[in-house]
Structure formats: C-alpha cells, structure tokens
Amino acid sequence: MKLSIIVPVYNVADYLAKCIDSLLAQDLPQNEYEVIVVNDGSTDNSGDIAQQYADKYANITLLTQENQGLSGARNTGIKHAKGEYIQFVDSDDYLEKNVLGGLMKQVEEDNLDVLRFKYQNVRINKESKEYEVFKPYKLDSFLFDDYSSKVTDGVCFLNERFGTACYAVMFIIRKTILENCIFKQGIYFEDTEWTPRMLLRTKRVASVDKIVYNYLWREGSITLSQN
C-alpha cells in the first residue's frame, strides 16, 4: 500500500461527500491507496454517510470513536494506516482531481520523507451555492514560501523554504517519520505545534509548485470560531 489518507470527521454531513468524492477521483489505482475515515463522535449523520462509502468502496475504511478532537482523530488514523506514506485531509475540504498520481511519482523518484504542495482557500457562494476561490487576507508583503523541487533536509526547509502556512494537510509524509510524532491533544492550532517537530525528523524534503488542496472557509469551523 503506497498511501493512507486520513480524514477526521465531526459533524460535517453537508461537506463529507464532496471530500470523499475528491479522494476517489484520483489517478492512483484504488488498490494502491486507502482512505481512513475517523468518525470522531459525530452527532449528525456524518457516520452514516461515511458508512455508505465504506460499504461501496474496498479502499475506504470507517473507524468510529468517542469524541477526542481533531488531534485524537488524526492519531487514531495514524495507528491504523497501512500505507508507506500518510496524507491528512480535513473532512470539509477537498482535493483537486487526478493529483495524487503525480505526487506519489515525485515522492518515489526522489525517495522523499516529505513532499509539500500548495493549497488555496475556497468558500461557498451564498447565492449560487457553488465553491469559489478567494483570498481572505493579503499576505503578499511577507510571504517567503519557496516551492522548489530541490531536495533538502528538514532544518534547511524550515529555515529557508517553509514560509507562513503551517497546516498538516499540505504534506505527504513517510509513515515512519510519524512514529512517536503524533498530534498533541487538547489544544487549538495543533498543526503549528506538530509541523516543526515532524519536519525536524526528516532528511529528504521537497515541494511541488502545484495547487492540490482546497481549504474551505466556513462558519462554525475551528479556524473561524472564537473561544
């Protein structure tokens, strides 16, 4: 198994089908990757939706647990992953079509520990109900992301190429890197705490200058909530 895609799920019934459909619309044979959906104590019908996909597709597995938060759900997925590499996709987001084949080809040819790719912000137009790309804030003045395909180590990557975006969903990661490198539970913005730890364990890191991931801005999400 080449790749395990871990999808934490909590009360996202309105978005889950689009997410899973995007994971199935890929240019990898289904026997080469798995989708692990972790139902983290949802109280809506997210679990039922996920079960319908798991019943229909052999490469989709549904795990159900009491609510442990995003970190706990990701950690559960890591424990059950069978792939040589791991990718995280949040259940209200989605991938571009037919991108995983090229990503895994680069990972294998360059023997990478980590491959980073680009994301874009999307929202649902209130009038048309369609997804649209948008820029929620202006970062151009201080961005210093370097999406070079040249292979480097994690220390150099953090110091010279990483930039400002610190999201776990931007990477494909060799599973062995995540041994004893799980997500801390009980905190917000757990990606910011976890990502540097993960990268510092790596020897071969590169990027691809291509938009792969669509990050949904929506009311009620962790990012847009105040606490």
Side-chain angles (χ1 to χ4, degrees):
M1 182 79 64
K2 291 184 178 181
L3 179 66
S4 296
I5 304 173
I6 297 170
V7 184
V9 169
Y10 181 74
N11 291 354
V12 286
D14 292 339
Y15 312 99
L16 184 56
K18 183 174 182 64
C19 174
I20 297 178
D21 284 343
S22 78
L23 305 183
L24 293 169
Q26 296 300 323
D27 50 358
L28 273 182
Q30 288 190 5
N31 64 350
E32 293 186 1
Y33 75 105
E34 62 176 351
V35 178
I36 301 176
V37 180
V38 183
N39 180 19
D40 190 44
S42 296
T43 56
D44 65 1
N45 65 329
S46 296
D48 295 333
I49 295 171
Q51 186 63 63
Q52 292 173 10
Y53 278 94
D55 291 342
K56 186 175 181 180
Y57 296 96
N59 67 329
I60 296 180
T61 300
L62 173 61
L63 305 175
T64 300
Q65 64 183 28
E66 294 183 2
N67 183 259
Q68 298 181 29
L70 179 59
S71 292
R74 286 176 174 168
N75 292 340
T76 296
I78 293 171
K79 291 178 183 177
H80 289 83
K82 300 176 183 176
E84 183 181 356
Y85 288 85
I86 286 178
Q87 180 180 5
F88 301 103
V89 175
D90 290 346
S91 50
D92 52 354
D93 301 334
Y94 61 97
L95 300 186
E96 292 290 293
K97 287 185 177 180
N98 296 326
V99 290
L100 291 183
L103 297 180
M104 291 308 300
K105 181 179 180 182
Q106 182 174 343
V107 164
E108 293 170 343
E109 288 182 350
D110 291 337
N111 190 27
L112 297 177
D113 294 323
V114 172
L115 176 65
R116 177 181 63 163
F117 43 79
K118 283 188 169 181
Y119 77 97
Q120 63 186 2
N121 294 296
V122 298
R123 63 184 173 188
I124 300 175
N125 186 295
K126 292 182 178 180
E127 295 182 1
S128 68
K129 306 302 181 183
E130 297 293 328
Y131 286 74
E132 61 183 15
V133 178
F134 84 117
K135 293 184 178 181
Y137 35 62
K138 184 174 178 59
L139 291 174
D140 296 344
S141 60
F142 61 93
L143 277 177
F144 57 97
D145 310 61
D146 179 355
Y147 281 86
S148 169
S149 61
K150 184 178 178 180
V151 179
T152 186
D153 61 37
V155 174
C156 177
F157 186 83
L158 275 169
N159 285 323
E160 300 178 9
R161 301 187 188 178
F162 186 57
T164 57
C166 193
Y167 303 113
V169 296
M170 298 173 60
F171 305 98
I172 289 177
I173 308 152
R174 191 187 300 274
K175 184 184 178 183
T176 54
I177 297 296
L178 299 183
E179 294 175 0
N180 302 315
C181 187
I182 60 176
F183 291 87
K184 185 174 181 179
Q185 295 184 224
I187 63 172
Y188 290 116
F189 298 103
E190 65 289 322
D191 290 10
T192 306
E193 187 277 334
W194 171 86
T195 303
R197 285 195 290 116
M198 180 273 291
L199 287 171
L200 288 173
R201 298 166 63 94
T202 64
K203 300 298 183 184
R204 298 184 61 80
V205 189
S207 298
V208 57
D209 191 7
K210 180 177 182 178
I211 292 175
V212 169
Y213 196 93
N214 293 283
Y215 183 93
L216 177 64
W217 281 62
R218 64 177 178 89
E219 294 180 4
S221 68
I222 293 175
T223 304
L224 297 188
S225 299
Q226 293 183 5
N227 184 311

